[in-house]
Amino acid sequence: MKKPLITPPAPQGPDGAISPRHVAIIMDGNGRWAQKRGWQRIRGHEAGSETVRVIVRNCRKLNIPYLTLYAFSSENWGRPKTEVAALMSLLRRFLSKELDELLARGIRLNAIGDIDLLPENTRQALLGTMEKTAHLNDMVLTLALSYGGRAELLHATKKLCQKVASGLLDPEQISEEDFSQALYTHDLPDPDLMIRTSGEIRISNFLPWQLAYSEFYFTKTPWPDFGEEELKAALTEYSGRQRRYGKTGEQVAK
Ligand code: FPP
């Protein structure tokens, strides 16, 4: 298990509003953003990677300790080969360009998903950046890559089954905590806020276990146009939500 973050959770934003500790984002709409302008889809992904930089920087500035970005799903392998290759190359460029920024801002890079499926040079670039930032504790930036929520649940189930088969775990005693610990996200808190850009109202196989009690924020803005102001609007909306976890409003207001 990784060391806990030095930065304490940020329950309060600059204006006293409640801030999420973990924000997870489905960065949707790059392709449509480019196509609307008569451009190749990859230009949308390029613009989207600029948005990644802006949002990481702003989350760090706002003291949000965990940010998780859905950068490439298991299902995205089914896209045209040229788009997949361009995305992998974009990711490599992003990793090499952002290393100094991550180091300067105390940001640890983390990844979830079946990263063994990534092309070897992309996988090495990812592992290299993770290693170089492993000591940093001000913020954790997690990239979901070759990630599928159902595959993650199966992976966790198999891990637990192996423990049961080897006599290390009593099936009757398996707890939610045991299950959480078997997930790729074992060292992350569950997201408090999940944002999806570009108008689609679904979670698309993103963190199905972990989002069970998260607040959702959907915006029509495509990811390349999502900026500081939009992020703040999502955080403001979050701060007005009452999280009841199945209890009554009166109980949680106490
Ligand atoms: C969804 O938009 C987005 C993706 C499948 C890839 C997300 C990638 C980036 C934001 C850039 C690279 C990432 C990093 C971390 C550098 P879409 O293509 O499905 O858009 P559409 O729904 O309009 O077609």
Side-chain angles (χ1 to χ4, degrees):
M1 174 109 67
K2 292 257 168 60
K3 291 176 287 184
L5 292 177
I6 291 167
T7 311
Q12 302 234 305
D15 48 4
I18 304 292
S19 239
R21 188 164 179 232
H22 184 175
V23 175
I25 308 183
I26 301 180
M27 310 182 288
D28 196 13
N30 295 343
R32 277 167 287 164
W33 180 90
Q35 284 167 326
K36 211 172 123 189
R37 290 162 174 76
W39 297 339
Q40 300 275 333
R41 293 173 56 81
I42 188 60
R43 280 189 67 180
H45 296 310
E46 282 163 3
S49 81
E50 290 302 317
T51 305
V52 171
R53 169 175 304 127
V54 170
I55 296 306
V56 170
R57 197 175 279 187
N58 275 282
C59 285
R60 176 69 195 94
K61 208 164 79 185
L62 293 165
N63 252 339
I64 291 169
Y66 297 92
L67 173 65
T68 298
L69 303 175
Y70 203 5
F72 193 86
S73 73
S74 324
E75 291 72 30
N76 289 152
W77 290 117
R79 290 195 173 197
K81 274 200 172 95
T82 47
E83 183 168 338
V84 172
L87 274 167
M88 293 300 143
S89 144
L90 184 58
L91 181 63
R92 284 194 298 278
R93 270 180 285 146
F94 174 85
L95 292 168
S96 89
K97 262 170 69 182
E98 290 311 295
L99 177 63
D100 287 346
E101 170 100 6
L102 298 176
L103 292 170
R105 293 176 196 265
I107 303 172
R108 185 201 308 159
L109 185 74
N110 179 39
I112 55 172
D114 192 353
I115 62 167
D116 288 346
L117 293 182
L118 298 176
E120 191 50 21
N121 52 3
T122 306
R123 199 178 75 91
Q124 287 304 336
L126 179 70
L127 294 176
T129 308
M130 285 168 62
E131 203 179 300
K132 289 181 190 120
T133 61
H135 60 291
L136 301 171
N137 272 319
D138 291 329
M139 175 177 168
V140 177
L141 168 63
T142 300
L143 298 181
L145 288 165
S146 188
Y147 174 87
R150 288 185 173 182
E152 181 185 30
L153 295 176
L154 271 179
H155 176 81
T157 306
K158 287 177 191 167
K159 266 172 87 172
L160 293 174
C161 286
Q162 278 159 4
K163 277 195 174 175
V164 168
S166 57
L168 292 169
L169 190 62
D170 172 359
E172 287 303 321
Q173 300 297 319
I174 298 175
S175 63
E176 290 188 8
E177 183 53 25
D178 291 328
F179 204 88
S180 294
Q181 284 302 314
L183 295 168
Y184 296 135
T185 50
H186 57 90
D187 48 3
L188 305 176
D190 287 342
D192 300 296
L193 172 65
M194 192 284 286
I195 298 172
R196 181 172 188 150
T197 58
S198 208
E200 312 293 351
I201 315 288
R202 53 177 175 262
I203 65 168
S204 300
N205 210 9
F206 186 46
L207 304 173
W209 171 278
Q210 300 87 337
L211 293 178
Y213 278 102
S214 309
E215 296 297 324
F216 289 179
Y217 179 86
F218 296 100
T219 170
K220 290 203 162 76
T221 305
W223 178 248
D225 291 338
F226 189 88
E228 183 177 355
E229 289 316 308
E230 278 267 3
L231 176 68
K232 286 193 173 148
L235 297 175
T236 301
E237 169 138 353
Y238 171 84
S239 77
R241 302 264 180 100
Q242 188 187 45
R243 303 186 72 191
R244 293 195 290 276
Y245 299 96
K247 296 191 172 165
T248 67
E250 291 72 29
Q251 283 175 305
V252 293
K254 273 183 197 160

